[in-house]
Amino acid sequence: MSIELGLMLTGMLAIGFFAQWLAWRVKLPAILFLLLAGILLGPVFHVLDPDKLLGPLLFPVVSLSVALILFEGSLTLRFQELRGIGHVVRGLVSYGAIVALLLLAAAAHYLAGMSWDIALLFGALTCVTGPTVIVPMLRTLRPNARIANTLRWEGIVIDPLGALFAVLIYEAIVSRHQGHAIGVFLTTVIAGVVIGGVAAIVLGLLLRRQLIPEYLQNFGALAIVLLSFTLSNEIAHDSGLLTVTIMGIALANMRDVHIDDILDFKEHLTVLLVSMLFILLAARLSWPLPPGMLWAGIAIFLAAQFVVRPITVMVSSAGSGMTWRERALISWVAPRGIVAASVSALFALRLERLGVAGSDVLVPLVFILIIGTVVLQSATSRPLARWLKVAEPEPHGVLIFGSDAVARAIGSALNEAGFHVLLSDDDWDGIRRARMEGLTTFYGSPASAHAERNLDLTGIGLMLGLSTHRERNSLACLHYQQEFGRDKVYRLRNLAPQETSNRSALADRLSVPVLFEDTMTHARFAELLARGWRLKSTGLTPTFDWPHFIEQYGSSSILLFGVEEKQMLRVALAKRELEPRPGWTVIVLVPPEAPTPP
């Protein structure tokens, strides 16, 4: 049995990795491939039987995994960010979410015959989207900025709020089913809020006063979260999920508490847990479904897609100034994700143990809705955005990794030439200077898990690696080659060719095209700027072409970029010289003795 358990767990780990990798390659939410893998392993080919494999461990494994997923999701909800998200998002995550919850509950009750209490729980679980499904879809969809920001912020904010709704409704169902008075329900809620708040205060105090060494902070946070979850369940039955949700929200909004490292660790851990958990949960589905349940699930999906979401958006966007085309696309895009799948499976397990009628159909209906929304919306959203004329044109914006003087100078020159420029770096001083110079910035590495969820790449199709950190520069370039394509990612040398040994050079298949002339390094570029060289942007004409420019500004001038008449950016590379033509705008690094225009 131990050999079988080890083999199955490692096999699930490998399959989960492959599903995540495939989702990254095709730019679709990973939850789709994980659920399909679990369905194939379980009800289709009967290779995996989670109940037989894990036995009494199944429920604790699922419970602890969902607790960590909810804690990680609630860590992203910062109240200070709610003030700047706009009228539509505030509507979608408040009264709009309540409207969606009630309409979805009505659909589940009348179309699938669910009792009202289970139907309300279904509505709470499925009224939310999430960043793990929205962000990959937006990269393919590429709508205009208002739509992209609305959908992205809705997913970030409503993810933990939806979990909170679901937990509260679940607690009410359990209390009513067990014959508890309203006081027991309130006790459960109070216990969750108090224990979660106290745990957050304790962990925040330990982090703020540096009482936990940095290398143990992730371990300590994990231990406190799971301890709080278990202790809360012991004090007030089934209050643990509310505890970890409150704990995450409270910790995210504490001042002077650095949680970025913990959040990164939890994100990596969540990827592992989600990959294993969803395969397990999907493998527990029974096939064929109970009579009529498949058609009921499809009917609920159609109602959610064509009735519930449009009504929710219409109510939430009233008086917002959005065009009907923008509202139509937002009404179409609402894929369900991690919270709906993971929490519904956990609640179903618990409700089945309590003998609550209708709990056995909760997970199949949720999974049908997840698969339906992800598949339909991923396939049709981009053509719909083009038809509605709210899709961004071909992305000409530039992502720059780095924020030192070289990155800021190049970013400012491209920005003045009319390109949307975004500087990303984890050097706070450089990011602060870039903001003071009027550049759009993102604080963090562009290849981090945090950037995966929060970096808005709308309208951006080119990446320049200008960081002073050689290895991280190469890593970010390789990451964005998959995002933008190999011919849209470039780097500035950190070492001259003669300084790079064969042992430290990247393999050809990993190499990234080198910016500017072959001898140009980051250090040399910075030195030239310090000596008074400056970036000059000039439009070429038939009477003032490139030879005339060189004659006026000197042969030592270094051509960096050329901008064609249709706002196409051409990059000067070490192995590909540009030939500027009349009608182009050239961005050139010119020496200090070059004439300065009046």
Side-chain angles (χ1 to χ4, degrees), residues 223-266:
I224 293 175
V225 170
L226 295 181
L227 179 62
S228 303
F229 172 76
T230 307
L231 181 63
S232 182
N233 279 337
E234 290 296 323
I235 294 176
H237 191 60
D238 288 330
S239 62
L241 292 180
L242 181 59
T243 295
V244 296
T245 304
I246 295 296
M247 180 181 176
I249 295 174
L251 193 63
N253 291 279
M254 287 185 179
R255 293 183 179 180
D256 303 324
V257 176
H258 181 71
I259 63 170
D260 290 343
D261 292 338
I262 294 175
L263 186 57
D264 287 342
F265 170 70
K266 290 293 187 294

Side-chain angles (χ1 to χ4, degrees), residues 192-447:
V193 173
V194 171
I195 296 174
V198 170
I201 292 173
V202 171
L203 180 56
L205 184 66
L206 294 174
L207 295 175
R208 185 184 293 119
R209 297 191 176 182
Q210 297 293 316
L211 298 176
I212 303 178
E214 189 168 343
Y215 77 96
L216 283 179
Q217 287 181 0
N218 292 330
F219 188 6
L222 179 64
I224 293 175
V225 170
L226 295 181
L227 179 62
S228 303
F229 172 76
T230 307
L231 181 63
S232 182
N233 279 337
E234 290 296 323
I235 294 176
H237 191 60
D238 288 330
S239 62
L241 292 180
L242 181 59
T243 295
V244 296
T245 304
I246 295 296
M247 180 181 176
I249 295 174
L251 193 63
N253 291 279
M254 287 185 179
R255 293 183 179 180
D256 303 324
V257 176
H258 181 71
I259 63 170
D260 290 343
D261 292 338
I262 294 175
L263 186 57
D264 287 342
F265 170 70
K266 290 293 187 294
E267 286 175 339
H268 292 118
L269 184 61
T270 298
V271 171
L272 175 63
L273 293 176
V274 164
S275 302
M276 302 284 283
L277 184 62
F278 284 2
I279 293 175
L280 277 175
L281 299 179
R284 293 188 74 249
L285 291 174
S286 58
W287 188 264
L289 295 176
M293 196 51 57
L294 176 61
W295 296 110
I298 294 175
I300 292 174
F301 156 64
L302 294 175
Q305 183 71 43
F306 295 100
V307 179
V308 176
R309 179 65 174 181
I311 291 177
T312 302
V313 173
M314 181 178 65
V315 170
S316 303
S317 61
S320 66
M322 273 193 166
T323 67
W324 71 268
R325 298 175 185 272
E326 293 171 329
R327 295 183 189 182
L329 188 62
I330 294 174
S331 299
W332 186 255
V333 180
R336 273 60 174 187
I338 287 176
V339 168
S342 58
V343 181
S344 66
L346 177 60
F347 287 170
L349 279 172
R350 293 189 174 188
L351 294 174
E352 285 174 14
R353 289 187 173 188
L354 294 175
V356 178
S359 57
D360 57 327
V361 301
L362 182 63
V363 173
L365 292 179
V366 169
F367 280 20
I368 290 173
L369 183 58
I370 291 172
I371 294 173
T373 54
V374 172
V375 171
L376 177 67
Q377 294 168 20
S378 297
T380 59
S381 294
R382 180 61 180 172
L384 179 62
R386 288 175 174 170
W387 182 73
L388 290 171
K389 299 180 180 178
V390 292
E392 285 285 324
E394 288 303 314
H396 298 309
V398 182
L399 171 66
I400 294 178
F401 179 27
S403 60
D404 69 324
V406 174
R408 297 197 305 271
I410 293 176
S412 297
L414 293 174
N415 190 43
E416 292 172 4
F419 292 95
H420 170 46
V421 176
L422 173 61
L423 263 70
S424 176
D425 200 357
D426 52 9
D427 175 14
W428 174 247
D429 184 63
I431 288 293
R432 180 182 60 82
R433 291 173 181 268
R435 288 179 181 175
M436 293 176 64
E437 295 174 15
L439 294 170
T440 304
T441 61
F442 176 81
Y443 178 49
S445 169

